Amino acid sequence: MPTDHVTRRGMLQGGAALAAAPAILSQAQAAAPRTGKGAPMIPVELTVNGREVHVPVDPRTSLLDMLREHLHLTGTKKGCDHGQCGACTVIVEGRRINSCLTLAVMHDGERVTTIEGLGTPDRLHPMQKAFIVHDGYQCGYCTPGQICSAVAVLEEIEAGIPSHVTADLDDVAVNEAELRERMSGNICRCAAYPNIIAAMRDVAGEKQA
Amino acid sequence: MKAFTYERATSVEAAARAAASVQGARFIAGGTNLLDLMKLQIETPTHLIDVNHLGLDRIEETPDGGLRIGALVRNTDLAADRRVRRDYAVLSRALLAGASGQLRNKATTGGNLLQRTRCPYFYDTRMPCNKRQPGSGCGALQGMSRSLAILGVSDACIAQHPSDMAVAMRLLDSAVDTMDANGARRSIPIADFHLLPGDTPQQETVLKPGEIITSVTLPRPIGGTHVYRKVRDRASYAFALVSVAAVFGKDGTARFAFGGIGAKPWRVEAADAAAGRGAKAVAEAALAGARTTHHNDFKKMLVERTLASVYRQREARA
Ligand SMILES: Cc1cc2nc3c(=O)[nH]c(=O)nc-3n(C[C@H](O)[C@H](O)[C@H](O)COP(=O)(O)OP(=O)(O)OC[C@H]3O[C@@H](n4cnc5c(N)ncnc54)[C@H](O)[C@@H]3O)c2cc1C
Ligand code: SF4
């Protein structure tokens, strides 16, 4: 494979990593070779954490980059950027998804909830509180994704959605095996897993009471 | 990621027309495979046609007692559908064994069938790969081929088909329903849908340019005991090394389909015919013509053992 290909890719990757400001993104876009019709900015309207936002984006912008770079909601984290780690998990139209593997333009008109929308430092969501009580994190980088996922997992169980470890597909309940399986899309490098499960069981217990 | 233009299709017909008329256009559904590959510039579409808003997200009963699953039905919704859980449990099980909760919430029925291989050399743009760049050679043949296929492979490519869902769809004899750019519809038996690599591993299905999947149709339920057993490197959230989908009938007959070992979801009549003779006989029949490498030879033994586990699971439930 020609080395010029590798170099060009390396440059683009470096460029993408540096492109914190939208201004740089649009410069990169202007410099990009245009084969077809080119890619004009597209206006996107979303409700993020209850607030309506209007943002013009390059069609390439992932929902994750839009949240972080355009709306400065940096609670949602970029880990692998390939759907493998779960750090970017947010809740869209009531469902948890990897915000790195979806385009902002695909969510025009939809409702997004990020960690900032679940609770605030003085009004914590019960799951946030439980993560603190049970020490559900160490470095904290994966935590926003873990918490968004954990909140959605309990709702999925309540809705009767089965999982890989559900013995009888029609009998879905909260238990340790279920929570571990359902949280497998959220990797924690500090391995805070037992405490995350403890936090979730705590919240699930409160709900059932 | 290379620049592209984006449109939200407003009808199935318009989507198919646009895809056939714009050079380099692609459909985007959940985006979980396409965007992953676009970030690595393995896929470089010039135009994306968003097919999420075409009303293809319903599961309906067919006149002959089967189910028509819209191409945009999410993997989560398909696995959780009451009728699928009751009548096609092997499909629910296969779906739930794949990816993660977040990904299944996005991944669609059509996109899952068309997801591309997880061959590490296909993913590494510094390496030769006939599938990614026809004629460049195959990095895997002499490389790390532990995860790759042993059935249906060629000298040009030994990539495995990574889908769990497609294995159950193959087992159940489903059909892929499509519409082309002229508005013509056809129904493709899943056995004929995926192509073997031969000399053209870049051609993975019989779909024509612009042809859009509208639904996947399941024939009427066949009853029996449904089992999906997936063996992988982690307990969850990993692709299959070997997977077995099976339905055991009350009369001693059974059918089997395999994942992780084939260039496409694998099913052979001889394996079904060997059902009465147990795991070893079924494995032998299924593995006829297997071509292994030093790294993936273990899969033959793993197929037999996975089948043994499937038989035990059946007995436990009978
Ligand atoms: C970390 C990770 C782990 C995973 N683990 C597993 C696993 O264990 N098992 C498993 O089976 N899968 C696994 N997957 C793959 C996942 O199942 C697929 O990415 C998903 O099913 C693809 O569906 P999609 O709707 O997102 O497709 P997209 O990415 O939107 O599309 C995929 C392809 O299909 C085409 N397409 C989509 N819809 C249509 C249509 N209606 N008509 C014609 N063409 C169409 C697109 O143009 C594209 O080429 C994993 C993925 C990731 C990222
Ligand atoms: S096995 Fe197929 S996908 Fe993998 S490197 Fe060889 S040609 Fe490419």
Side-chain angles (χ1 to χ4, degrees):
Chain A
M1 190 150 293
T3 48
D4 107 332
H5 177 77
V6 173
T7 322
R8 187 160 47 84
R9 227 190 105 208
M11 260 175 61
L12 278 177
Q13 280 177 341
L18 288 171
I24 300 179
L25 262 185
S26 45
Q27 269 173 28
Q29 191 202 352
R34 290 191 172 204
T35 36
K37 288 179 264 172
M41 301 289 259
I42 297 180
V44 177
E45 278 186 41
L46 294 157
T47 307
V48 180
N49 300 332
R51 191 165 60 93
E52 272 183 37
V53 298
H54 308 252
V55 208
V57 294
D58 182 302
R60 284 172 290 188
T61 313
S62 66
L63 178 61
L64 171 64
D65 284 342
M66 176 184 184
L67 292 169
R68 290 183 54 86
E69 313 298 347
H70 296 247
L71 302 177
H72 305 293
L73 290 169
T74 53
T76 308
K77 298 296 186 249
K78 184 181 281 192
C80 68
D81 211 22
H82 286 278
Q84 296 173 6
C85 76
C88 69
T89 304
V90 299
I91 300 170
V92 176
E93 295 288 311
R95 299 184 143 206
R96 57 179 171 143
I97 65 167
N98 300 101
S99 61
C100 75
L101 279 190
T102 192
L103 298 171
V105 290
M106 294 170 74
H107 297 283
D108 191 42
E110 295 184 357
R111 282 171 305 131
V112 181
T113 303
T114 68
I115 188 73
E116 291 93 341
L118 282 180
T120 58
D122 30 80
R123 284 195 54 157
L124 292 172
H125 184 280
M127 192 64 78
Q128 290 172 316
K129 222 181 279 175
F131 265 63
I132 295 170
V133 169
H134 293 275
D135 246 342
Y137 50 84
Q138 286 177 42
C139 82
Y141 193 79
C142 69
T143 312
Q146 299 278 3
I147 292 178
C148 285
S149 216
V151 168
V153 160
L154 296 189
E155 284 166 9
E156 286 163 15
I157 293 176
E158 253 183 42
I161 295 172
S163 87
H164 175 59
V165 299
T166 310
D168 173 352
L169 288 174
D170 291 320
D171 183 12
V172 181
V174 176
N175 59 51
E176 170 148 359
E178 283 283 356
L179 298 181
R180 286 169 62 100
E181 160 61 24
R182 289 168 192 268
M183 290 297 287
S184 71
N186 291 82
I187 312 290
C188 172
R189 185 63 186 81
C190 310
Y193 301 114
N195 298 359
I196 291 171
I197 300 301
M200 291 177 71
R201 296 187 80 168
D202 197 349
V203 175
E206 269 176 25
K207 266 196 188 162
Q208 278 160 2
Chain B
M1 212 186 279
K2 296 272 192 192
F4 56 83
T5 47
Y6 167 89
E7 73 172 278
R8 254 187 202 198
T10 50
S11 73
V12 178
E13 290 81 0
R17 260 199 315 275
S21 61
V22 183
Q23 179 87 27
R26 291 294 284 275
F27 301 117
I28 185 162
T32 60
N33 190 230
L34 187 56
L35 290 170
D36 187 19
L37 294 169
M38 283 168 65
K39 288 182 185 198
L40 300 165
Q41 296 190 15
I42 294 164
E43 299 267 21
T44 52
T46 57
H47 183 64
L48 287 186
I49 301 161
D50 185 342
V51 295
N52 280 284
H53 307 274
L54 304 179
L56 297 176
D57 54 355
R58 286 187 281 272
I59 305 177
E60 294 158 341
E61 278 148 44
T62 60
D64 54 353
L67 274 190
R68 185 176 301 111
I69 303 155
L72 272 288
V73 171
R74 308 288 156 178
N75 287 179
T76 299
D77 297 319
L78 184 55
D81 184 272
R82 292 257 161 229
R83 294 158 293 188
V84 176
R85 279 194 247 180
R86 185 187 64 214
D87 298 330
Y88 307 96
V90 67
L91 177 58
S92 278
R93 292 284 178 198
L95 284 158
L96 295 171
S100 66
Q102 290 96 314
L103 288 161
R104 290 193 297 271
N105 279 343
K106 274 262 122 196
T108 64
T109 309
N112 192 316
L113 280 180
L114 293 173
Q115 64 173 297
R116 307 200 67 191
T117 185
R118 293 279 158 171
C119 170
Y121 299 91
F122 174 72
Y123 263 82
D124 185 344
T125 51
R126 292 164 305 184
M127 301 301 291
C129 169
N130 287 324
K131 192 187 270 302
R132 176 167 34 76
Q133 200 170 5
S136 63
C138 170
L141 273 174
Q142 306 298 325
M144 300 290 290
S145 49
R146 180 172 176 275
S147 60
L148 301 183
I150 60 175
L151 288 161
V153 297
S154 71
D155 288 337
C157 178
I158 59 168
Q160 83 283 35
H161 195 277
S163 170
D164 291 295
M165 182 198 82
V167 176
M169 292 292 196
R170 177 70 187 85
L171 185 81
L172 295 168
D173 284 330
S174 56
V176 183
D177 312 313
T178 68
M179 182 186 277
D180 72 12
N182 302 317
R185 294 179 182 274
R186 63 170 170 158
S187 167
I188 308 161
I190 186 132
D192 305 333
F193 182 75
H194 294 102
L195 296 171
L196 292 179
D199 295 332
T200 52
Q202 71 278 14
Q203 276 168 30
E204 296 172 354
T205 69
V206 295
L207 290 181
K208 295 174 291 186
E211 193 169 1
I212 181 173
I213 301 178
T214 52
S215 55
V216 176
T217 300
L218 297 174
R220 61 164 58 188
I222 53 171
T225 305
H226 291 221
V227 179
Y228 189 77
R229 182 84 170 91
K230 178 176 180 180
V231 181
R232 44 186 159 176
D233 285 335
R234 303 193 287 212
S236 181
Y237 199 20
F239 286 92
L241 286 169
V242 167
S243 72
V244 174
V247 175
F248 293 92
K250 287 205 175 70
D251 54 357
T253 62
R255 50 168 95 177
F256 303 93
F258 301 84
I261 55 173
K264 63 183 210 174
W266 205 254
R267 180 154 177 228
V268 288
E269 278 174 20
D272 295 0
R277 288 182 284 126
K280 194 171 166 56
V282 174
E284 243 165 56
L287 292 168
R291 219 176 97 182
T292 61
T293 64
H294 176 63
H295 288 117
N296 66 19
D297 195 58
F298 75 96
K299 286 194 177 188
K300 292 201 307 202
M301 177 71 81
L302 196 53
V303 166
E304 188 185 321
R305 290 181 176 174
T306 309
L307 277 162
S309 150
V310 164
Y311 271 88
R312 275 198 304 277
Q313 235 172 297
R314 194 267 310 238
E315 277 155 29
R317 286 211 240 138

